[in-house]
Amino acid sequence: MKDVIIDIERWRVSGRRIAVARVVATEGSSPRGAGAAMVVNDVGEVAGSVSGGCVEGAVVAAATEVLDGTRAPGVITFGYSDDDAFAVGLTCGGTIHLFVEELAW
Amino acid sequence: MVIYERLRDALAAQRPVVLATIIEGIPIGAKLLIEPGAAPLGSLGDANLDRVVARDALGELAAGITSTRHYGQRGEARERDVTVFIESFAPPPRMIIFGAVDFTAALARVAKLLGYHVTVCDARPVFATTARFPMADVVVNDWPDRFLASVADPLSPRDAVCVLTHDTKFDVPAIMSSLSTDVGYLGAMGSRTTHEKRLQRLREAGASLDQLARVRSPIGLDLGGRTPEETAVSICAEIIGLRTGRAGAPLTTGDGPIHNQDG
């Protein structure tokens, strides 16, 4: 989260609600390790990254749903081994697990 | 937002801190912020779970590890009621560069790119100035052994020492005092001839064969570069390879996994 604090602070000043997606675990080959973070605000601005660019779009969608209240905070998984309908393949062939929640703590 | 704000302040001050979050189980999203020497902030919903996670978090912080762990609702081991993401924010690793020479500025720049807290140390005040090394976090005018003795937190396996002086009167005390720490990388610049002579001097100063095996010299990976910038990349590449246990060969000629599982 260290890399996105500056963006969070800017958004907080302007009264934005913010969702945070953090990589909590990875399997196989994946470019960003546990702790990599992305933040999305309620007007769709984005900062940070959680992969080599493969899943960022899907993470923004999930984060926006968390802010809308249409998705509960929780773990989402991306990768070939995933059979969830939300699955997006990673070019690197690995699997990443992210925890997505609103920054309200 | 008290937990976030304390995390933000700890990160800004480069204080070590750990954020624990329940990511599976109840109460999902609950947080505990742990700082060494301070009372934890927040709760995971059970006092005993808080105590067990705080203990584990401090262990992970010391090792610089971020991971997920399973516990029972009251912190029991070998149960899986809750999954806790334990995210360690260790202060940046340190690189100490001995010798304010041509190569120092380039090495300090590349080390900053890799996230190191960089100190340049040289006994000669004319050369070791912040004007020459604005990219360094700290510039020190001191003898290497006296400087290392004054470092409050002993060097750890995450840290690196690069001895660029190639002058035995500085090299030998710099290497001998580094060898008495747990520093993860200890490299010394110089040609193979310089290296042989330096080994002799280090043996005379009392270094054992095991200790001499820790000294990476001539410094860096064999990339054939020559400029200070190319040399800096070669040194930093060696540091990364030593940490991950990789030899530094092209991936094209290999066939194993690209990343280690522990990152």
Side-chain angles (χ1 to χ4, degrees):
Chain A
M1 282 196 46
K2 211 178 288 189
D3 299 340
V4 293
I5 294 280
I6 191 165
D7 300 283
I8 292 175
E9 287 299 299
R10 201 176 64 241
W11 294 346
R12 266 162 47 97
V13 167
S14 45
R16 298 267 68 90
R17 288 174 60 227
I18 300 164
V20 185
R22 286 179 288 162
V23 176
V24 296
T26 65
E27 289 137 32
S29 177
S30 53
R32 304 292 309 270
M38 223 174 126
V39 283
V40 178
N41 71 21
D42 55 356
V43 291
E45 292 176 305
V46 177
S49 78
V50 292
S51 75
C54 318
V55 304
E56 270 71 4
V59 173
V60 171
T64 303
E65 287 167 13
V66 166
L67 289 178
D68 288 349
T70 52
R71 169 183 282 268
V75 174
I76 55 174
T77 295
F78 298 104
Y80 290 130
S81 63
D82 186 26
D83 49 11
D84 166 312
F86 203 65
V88 176
L90 264 70
T91 315
C92 48
T95 301
I96 65 174
H97 306 275
L98 298 124
F99 183 67
V100 188
E101 62 178 336
E102 180 167 359
L103 178 63
W105 38 273
Chain B
M1 301 290 281
V2 290
I3 293 181
Y4 163 76
E5 285 168 4
R6 185 140 136 214
L7 173 67
R8 174 200 63 194
D9 294 345
L11 294 177
Q14 299 199 340
R15 287 200 308 269
V17 60
V18 190
L19 179 64
T21 308
I22 294 189
I23 60 166
E24 280 168 337
I26 298 167
I28 195 157
K31 298 220 164 32
L32 188 69
L33 188 83
I34 303 106
E35 281 194 75
L41 182 65
S43 176
L44 301 177
D46 179 83
N48 204 47
L49 177 62
D50 289 347
R51 192 163 57 243
V52 172
V53 169
R55 180 200 64 199
D56 291 349
L58 289 173
E60 301 228 337
L61 180 65
I65 295 169
T66 284
S67 72
T68 55
R69 287 175 175 245
H70 304 287
Y71 301 92
Q73 206 74 56
R74 296 201 171 4
E76 300 90 335
R78 295 182 300 278
E79 292 188 24
R80 304 176 68 92
D81 296 331
V82 294
T83 305
V84 180
F85 177 47
I86 301 178
E87 186 173 11
S88 296
F89 298 90
R94 290 167 287 178
M95 180 186 285
I96 317 282
I97 307 174
F98 289 114
V101 299
D102 285 356
F103 291 89
T104 308
L107 179 57
R109 268 198 302 275
V110 177
K112 287 306 296 175
L113 182 68
L114 297 180
Y116 282 89
H117 177 276
V118 176
T119 300
V120 174
C121 176
D122 194 304
R124 304 163 301 170
V126 182
F127 295 107
T129 63
T130 49
R132 284 187 74 208
F133 304 106
M135 71 301 282
D137 296 285
V138 184
V139 178
V140 180
N141 291 137
D142 206 345
W143 281 77
D145 44 344
R146 211 164 58 183
F147 166 68
L148 277 183
S150 74
V151 172
D153 247 346
L155 296 178
S156 79
R158 300 172 63 230
D159 301 322
V161 168
C162 298
V163 181
L164 307 187
T165 42
H166 49 315
D167 176 341
T168 49
K169 104 174 150 285
F170 297 111
D171 281 14
V172 171
I175 294 170
M176 289 305 291
S177 48
S178 300
L179 283 172
S180 69
T181 72
D182 290 328
V183 71
Y185 177 89
L186 171 55
M189 187 172 259
S191 65
R192 292 190 191 282
T193 315
T194 305
H195 171 63
E196 287 305 321
K197 288 185 191 148
R198 187 162 46 211
L199 284 181
Q200 182 59 37
R201 293 259 163 71
L202 288 167
R203 276 193 293 268
E204 286 163 12
S208 69
L209 286 177
D210 283 349
Q211 286 183 312
L212 291 178
R214 286 176 63 193
V215 183
R216 315 291 292 197
S217 176
I219 198 168
L221 289 189
D222 182 10
L223 303 180
R226 186 175 285 276
T227 67
E229 292 73 18
E230 288 172 343
T231 305
V233 168
S234 141
I235 294 169
C236 288
E238 181 174 46
I239 293 174
I240 297 168
L242 192 65
R243 189 194 74 217
T244 58
R246 301 299 181 99
L251 288 167
T252 314
T253 56
D255 57 6
I258 294 172
H259 303 291
N260 295 348
Q261 266 315 304
D262 56 8

